[in-house]
Amino acid sequence: MLRLILSRLVSLAITLLAVSLAIFLILEVLPGDPAAIMLGTSAREDTLAALRQELGLDQPALLRYLQWIGGLLQGDLGTSITYKMPVSTLVAERMNVTLPLSFLAILISTALALPLGVAAAARRDGPVDRAVLVFSQLGVAVPNFWIGLLFILFFSTWLGWFPAGGFPGWGNGLWPAFQALLLPAVALALPQAAVLTRVTRSATLEVIGADFVRTARAKGVDKGSTLRRHVVPNALIPVTTILGLQLSFFFGGAILVENVFNLPGLGRLAYQALNQRDLVVIKDIVLIFSGLVIVVNFIVDIGYAILDPRLRSRA
Amino acid sequence: MTKRLLTAALLLAVSVIPAHAAKTSLVVGMPIEPPGLDPTVAAPVAIREVTWVNLYEGLVRIDKAGKVQPLLAKSWEIAPDGLTYTFRLQEGVKFHDGSTFDSADVKFAFDRARDPKSTNAQKQIFAPISSIETPDPATVVIRLKETSGNFLYYLGWGDAVIVAPETAANNAANPVGTGPFKFKSWTRGDRVELTRNADYWQKDKTKLDTVTFRFISDAQAQVAALRAGDVDAFPNLGASELFAEFQKDARFKAVAGNTEGETVAGLNSAKKPFDDVRVRRALMHAVDRKTLIEGAYSGFGQPIGSFFSPNNPAFVDTTNVVPYDVEKAKALLKEAGYGDGLSITIKSPQMAYASRSAELLSAMLSEAGVELKIIPTEFPAKWIEEVFKAKDYDMTIVSHTEPLDIDIFARDSYYFNYKNEKFKALVAEAAKTTDEKARFAKYAEAQKILAEDVPALFLFQLPKLGVWNAKVQGLWENSPIPSNDVTEVSWTE
């Protein structure tokens, strides 16, 4: 088990380094001069030069890359070109929105999908199964930002139960912050829940048909216990794979949902930074997103080993 | 028992609140978040829309009608030669950090702005200055190298607000000015909060206690925020197609005014076939501005025939100089040797008004036998590189939002590649003319030259679609300067 974790950690570090180089190179060839964007079309050439120097944009590319990586290793993410403040502070503020939003969405998605999928599989072609199939078809077809718009129309504008967007900050109490995150989290969760429900249903169906399940039933174990003790644990393995893949969609999907609900999250910061060519912020955020996906995959890998004893002994 | 206590407490709480007190807080929605809160070091309009005259004040200010009014300078004298300006300053003015405002601050602010290392986006404001003297704390004498007809007007801009030496370096994150509101907090990505400045030098000028600027980029989200009551006012709503609904709704006041943004389809005048004025005029003749505005901005926005804002007192209507006339367009094209048709491209940024206009232009020009291909581009980053710097384009479309910027057609390196020595001399002369009437006459002539020469297709003034709660008073209908002046805003009961 320890060897498995170590070897995965090494490949994690190498992947991150390769990603950092790729990000840097892509941003080098991306057209756009942050100084010209900051100063507008009336700025004089000497003013532009002064700002470029202030931002360190006049230095060679290799030096800038090394400075970036060197800073990262010391925990320094650099200073935002547009906001003129440490990126670490900016990112930390935004993480306070995006992470709770994503985790709330994951929670809602799994809480919906697992019971629905299992229930649907337990009575194939029954009324629950049919309802679940309709729900999952709809959920896969409808994009999350559109669900978000409908939610705002219904719950905020019409019923007035929730704010129409924005985020009051955690400083103003847990409830208002939770209230601001709930609708976007559901909007983010529904399409993913639909996918996960389908996967859970088919994985459960597959296990239900397996020989050992029939054996358990033949031995006299009742239907409920078979489902709980034999079917669900085995069905969880493919479900975990999909869930791991979905986690990156939660972070990515957050960009759209954050825009619709006007939430000051990491996704919107990335979008804004790209518009303004705030290269420092873009580099850091893309690296953080990549890092999150890589780390999540690492955790999923370890998760397999826990769920499936065969993987443990093999490693 | 507890229940009764609660009821009593509740009754007490209710009775303390005066029965008919008007609201003293205001939430203003804006589409774009400012990248910082210092208008003297960066260009974005959003910085001015939060800070100008709310947080920071200049020697003078621009009023609703676009006219210069005294602010930190209570009066001034201009020497007969037009080269010496003597400003008498307001006394008893304090910055938000408690320090006193005097002539040394004015000298510091202007010297900082014209320093070679300064990143002030409008350095040309300060270019005529030769020296700044401070004979006493309440007097500033500014000497100019040459006369400047617009010098006072420019001093009313956000780029020329007065900042203090102790705090200027931190103004982007923690702004300190002399205005009626103080900076309270900035939740980046969401809102900036201001509170009333209790020590403000014009006592009782403002009625609001708190002002919150909220940043909502999505047009649908803006509408939702207004309808849900999360935002009291959107001085410039993004969803023009939903504006008419607000006009019908009694809960809201919806006013269509003008911004300083002239929407123009720039032509690369150095490139064939646009070096031929007949071709440029033919293209202009082929455009039906009214239909274009209908399609691009739901019918809001004033047609323009030249490059001057209708908000400006020197504006003249030139829309009839090259009017919509498809037959004339065809004849001119034939005369210029393009009777068999012409194929050109337009680099169109992603903004809704621009991409919609480009599509309509393409349809209109095809009537005159011109094929216009649309090449999408990203604004600002890619557009600045390709169109503005490299001048690699035939036609493009963008709104120029700075006030009084007709001189961009007189700049040699500007992206239009337009060269007209007569126009250049006229604009330079107008800028130097201190007599208002004479200056306006020169600007009128300059507007006519552009209308005839068509270095860009002059389309429409970008409207300011203001929507606010019907009980809110004192917001501006037009924006003769990029701003959201809330200093005189109040709620009716």
Side-chain angles (χ1 to χ4, degrees), chain B residues 11-268:
Chain B
L11 276 175
L12 203 69
V14 169
S15 62
V16 172
I17 302 166
H20 287 294
K23 236 175 118 175
T24 58
S25 65
L26 183 76
V27 183
V28 179
M30 282 171 51
I32 296 171
E33 179 176 35
L37 294 173
D38 185 350
T40 66
V41 295
V45 162
I47 302 176
R48 285 132 185 88
E49 287 176 343
V50 171
T51 64
W52 186 79
V53 304
N54 298 328
L55 277 172
Y56 300 108
E57 297 177 310
L59 289 182
V60 296
R61 59 165 295 159
I62 311 298
D63 69 7
K64 277 180 199 185
K67 290 228 159 86
V68 176
Q69 300 291 349
L71 196 59
L72 287 177
K74 58 182 163 197
S75 66
W76 53 85
E77 288 146 35
I78 306 171
D81 62 1
L83 291 173
T84 307
Y85 286 66
T86 307
F87 294 94
R88 307 255 170 248
L89 307 183
Q90 292 286 352
E91 290 173 69
V93 177
K94 281 189 161 38
F95 283 98
H96 300 149
D97 65 347
S99 61
T100 308
F101 156 83
D102 62 24
S103 57
D105 296 305
V106 178
K107 183 170 164 54
F108 165 78
F110 291 174
D111 281 343
R112 171 174 172 263
R114 60 202 193 105
D115 188 88
K117 278 202 173 144
S118 139
T119 58
N120 193 295
Q122 302 287 348
K123 266 189 169 164
Q124 80 276 8
I125 295 177
F126 310 97
I129 298 179
S130 75
S131 74
I132 303 170
E133 290 152 38
T134 54
D136 65 71
T139 311
V140 176
V141 179
I142 299 180
R143 290 185 210 283
L144 306 185
K145 292 173 215 155
E146 51 184 13
T147 55
S148 168
N150 296 312
F151 185 62
L152 264 183
Y153 169 75
Y154 284 140
L155 290 187
W157 285 23
D159 309 84
V161 295
I162 307 302
V163 294
E166 301 85 6
T167 47
N170 298 324
N171 274 347
N174 190 13
V176 172
T178 57
F181 293 99
K182 289 194 286 192
F183 172 72
K184 185 183 163 213
S185 68
W186 182 359
T187 310
R188 283 178 178 72
D190 192 52
R191 66 187 69 197
V192 167
E193 286 178 283
L194 312 181
T195 55
R196 186 193 183 86
N197 171 12
D199 301 323
Y200 185 54
W201 58 277
Q202 296 189 75
K203 285 253 168 299
D204 304 321
K205 160 120 173 156
T206 52
K207 299 201 173 55
L208 298 174
D209 288 324
T210 61
V211 181
T212 306
F213 289 95
R214 286 197 48 193
F215 313 115
I216 306 177
S217 53
D218 187 84
Q220 294 295 332
Q222 294 171 2
V223 171
L226 273 167
R227 291 218 172 111
D230 295 354
V231 166
D232 300 317
F234 236 104
N236 200 354
L237 192 75
S240 63
E241 57 279 5
L242 295 174
F243 184 72
E245 279 184 43
F246 283 107
Q247 286 180 312
K248 283 180 236 147
D249 192 331
R251 290 174 300 159
F252 296 98
K253 191 156 189 242
V255 192
N258 279 323
T259 66
E260 286 296 296
E262 293 87 17
T263 310
V264 305
L267 301 169
N268 194 344

Side-chain angles (χ1 to χ4, degrees), chain A residues 38 42 82-83 164 262 268 277, chain B residues 33 35 43 189 215 230 378 402:
Chain A
M38 277 296 277
S42 275
T82 33
Y83 284 122
N262 202 46
R268 252 189 58 217
R277 291 293 189 272
Chain B
E33 179 176 35
F215 313 115
D230 295 354
E378 181 206 357
E402 274 160 16

